[in-house]
Amino acid sequence: MTVNRIALVDVNNFYVSCERVFDPKLEGRPVVVLSNNDGCVVARSAEAKALGIATGAPWFQLQAQAKAWGLVARSSNYELYGDLSAKVMEVVGRFGTWQEVYSIDESFIGLMGDSAQLHATGAEVRAAVMRHVGVPVCVGVAATKTLAKFANRIAKQNPALAGVCALDAMPEGHVARIQERVPASGLWGVGGKTSSKLKMMGIESIADLKAADPAMIRKKFSVVLQRTVMELNGTECIPHTEEHVDKQQIMFSRSFSTPVTTVAGMEEVMAIYAQRGAARLNQEGLRASTMTVTAGTSRFAGGEGSFPAVTSRFMTPTQDPIVLIRAAVAAIGQSAVPGAAYLRAGVMFNGLEPASGTGMLDVFGPAAEQADVGDVLGEVRNKFGSMAIGIGVGGLAQAPAWSMKREHSSPRYTTEWKELPVVRA
């Protein structure tokens, strides 16, 4: 019988898988991807997990044993990960009656068919992503988003399923037995505190939660957990959208490799960060009504250099990098404390609206601010790479001394002309 179902497609160990696409020598080796400034582990391969390496483990503690373990570390290569994510989502979207990109490595899609067809389509999705992008995915197919997440978990943890689990195609009673063994904390959206409270009520497994009274769950917890119970019983309660959820905020925030101690240095930081934030606005087709500038010292520095967030409001929503740079530099120049050792900074944009709208004409704004500077810069970067052009210090080819440390970074194989992979035949 043909039915409508939801599939969750999730890339396995996404950051590590991206690193392996262009460096096959990493296959089968323990690999970790590090956080900003190569501080701690944020992603692990299955081999690294087998060594007992935990997420959040400081790299300096692992470095001494890395050679003996054969452990490979990579700095976070966000440009590569973002580009490969977009490619994965484009391939996955070809198979769905609708698509909702849930995160950088997860996407829900709508499927139709009988149990055999649903399983076959899941296998096709997995093969297509591997063929066209080169990263492994697992596919979970079920009647609701909650069950699709659960099915994806089954696919990941059972190698015999070859990365695909369609609940409709599983033997009768098999899913129920799995739900009896898996704790409720293994469900999407059930955190540790909620799980502990459920245990006090005698609800320990997913099967226990499925059998609970939805009205009682809503009274004791929330409507969100009530929806989880209903979804476990096959009632679709979490809506989907074929469009991306409207963004409420865009942020560009980084830590420095070395402290910045001068106001002039912080103005340079903000000129670059505001420009990169403007590039994200342009890429997303958005403009902002407000921009908030933040900066911080070490948490051990006491009140020295404390920097209250400064928000700039624009009469006309904008994505113009010149306007944003001027506002960010002015904010940091007024508030930064000379001599304070700043270790991080960021810009945050709120009050977002589509840039395609007509908007209100600012007849008093300077001519330079009326020009489509962001569009021009975006077109050049799309053609020649993200570092091809910039404004002021943001256009310099050599990165400042305070730039984020990335000593183990792989090339940006797909977004920078100078770093394209070379094939020798």
Side-chain angles (χ1 to χ4, degrees):
M1 181 176 67
T2 298
V3 292
N4 290 309
R5 290 293 182 257
I6 297 172
L8 175 67
V9 184
D10 184 10
V11 184
N12 302 342
N13 304 318
F14 179 61
Y15 287 178
V16 171
S17 295
C18 289
E19 294 289 348
R20 286 172 165 170
V21 170
F22 294 98
D23 191 355
K25 291 182 293 185
L26 298 179
E27 290 289 347
R29 297 187 62 180
V31 180
V32 294
V33 176
L34 306 176
S35 63
N36 292 348
N37 290 313
D38 297 341
C40 60
V41 174
V42 295
R44 308 160 294 161
S45 68
E47 296 81 5
K49 293 174 185 177
L51 289 173
I53 296 173
T55 298
W59 171 239
F60 76 87
Q61 293 181 359
L62 302 173
Q63 202 165 5
Q65 292 292 322
K67 187 173 181 180
W69 289 339
L71 178 65
V72 178
R74 288 285 184 263
S75 303
S76 296
N77 190 340
Y78 298 117
E79 297 90 342
L80 177 66
Y81 307 154
D83 190 60
L84 291 186
S85 171
K87 289 177 167 58
V88 169
M89 300 311 165
E90 192 279 327
V91 173
V92 170
R94 300 175 189 175
F95 292 86
T97 56
W98 54 266
Q99 180 180 26
E100 179 184 340
V101 177
Y102 182 67
S103 68
I104 192 172
D105 60 348
E106 294 176 283
S107 178
F108 290 105
I109 57 173
L111 298 181
M112 293 181 62
D114 57 29
S115 59
Q117 291 169 336
L118 293 169
H119 187 276
T121 302
E124 288 177 23
V125 171
R126 192 168 189 268
V129 173
M130 177 59 74
R131 181 169 64 252
H132 295 294
V133 187
V135 295
V137 303
C138 282
V139 183
V141 185
T144 68
K145 283 185 175 180
T146 300
L147 287 172
K149 276 269 194 179
F150 175 64
N152 192 281
R153 173 187 172 129
I154 295 174
K156 284 182 181 294
Q157 297 183 352
N158 292 271
L161 296 178
V164 181
C165 175
L167 295 188
D168 293 278
M170 295 188 74
E172 187 175 355
H174 192 58
V175 176
R177 288 192 291 274
I178 295 175
Q179 291 177 341
E180 289 170 358
R181 297 197 304 267
V182 179
S185 58
L187 273 178
W188 179 36
V190 180
K193 290 184 178 180
T194 300
S195 176
S196 298
K197 191 174 178 181
L198 285 169
K199 283 184 179 180
M200 294 174 63
M201 300 169 58
I203 300 174
E204 298 191 12
S205 68
I206 293 177
D208 293 336
L209 185 59
K210 180 179 179 180
D213 177 21
M216 181 272 293
I217 291 293
R218 178 170 182 166
K219 182 178 180 180
K220 297 285 187 180
F221 294 89
S222 66
V223 68
V224 175
L225 193 60
Q226 180 192 34
R227 289 172 181 167
T228 298
V229 174
M230 295 176 70
E231 290 232 334
L232 284 174
N233 285 280
T235 300
E236 190 175 352
C237 300
I238 303 174
H240 67 263
T241 171
E242 297 184 33
E243 303 295 331
H244 292 289
V245 176
D246 291 339
K247 286 183 177 290
Q248 303 297 314
Q249 185 182 89
I250 284 181
M251 175 181 286
F252 186 92
S253 178
R254 294 286 187 274
S255 301
F256 310 145
S257 59
T258 57
V260 178
T261 59
T262 66
V263 174
M266 289 301 293
E267 289 177 344
E268 180 183 79
V269 170
M270 284 303 164
I272 294 175
Y273 282 20
Q275 189 171 164
R276 292 180 180 174
R280 287 191 177 178
L281 286 170
N282 181 267
Q283 187 177 16
E284 298 285 345
L286 297 169
R287 53 191 176 196
S289 299
T290 65
M291 177 179 65
T292 301
V293 171
T294 62
T297 59
S298 168
R299 65 179 182 273
F300 303 109
E304 178 191 4
S306 60
F307 182 92
V310 177
T311 298
S312 302
R313 300 183 183 279
F314 308 110
M315 181 177 294
T316 304
T318 184
Q319 61 171 224
D320 190 321
I322 296 175
V323 176
L324 299 175
I325 289 170
R326 287 176 178 169
V329 170
I332 202 77
Q334 294 170 6
S335 304
V337 177
Y342 289 100
L343 296 177
R344 59 190 180 277
V347 292
M348 183 169 59
F349 302 101
N350 288 289
L352 305 181
E353 65 176 40
S356 57
T358 304
M360 184 172 64
L361 177 63
D362 183 5
V363 295
F364 300 104
E369 296 177 4
Q370 300 295 332
D372 294 327
V373 177
D375 291 339
V376 173
L377 296 179
E379 290 176 6
V380 174
R381 292 192 188 103
N382 289 338
K383 189 170 183 180
F384 298 106
S386 62
M387 301 299 291
I389 193 172
I391 298 172
V393 292
L396 299 179
Q398 186 170 353
W402 48 262
S403 296
M404 186 173 64
K405 182 171 68 175
R406 299 168 76 180
E407 294 181 350
H408 307 281
S409 183
S410 54
R412 293 163 292 182
Y413 293 105
T414 63
T415 59
E416 290 294 328
W417 285 105
K418 294 180 181 179
E419 300 178 18
L420 290 175
V422 177
V423 178
R424 294 181 176 87

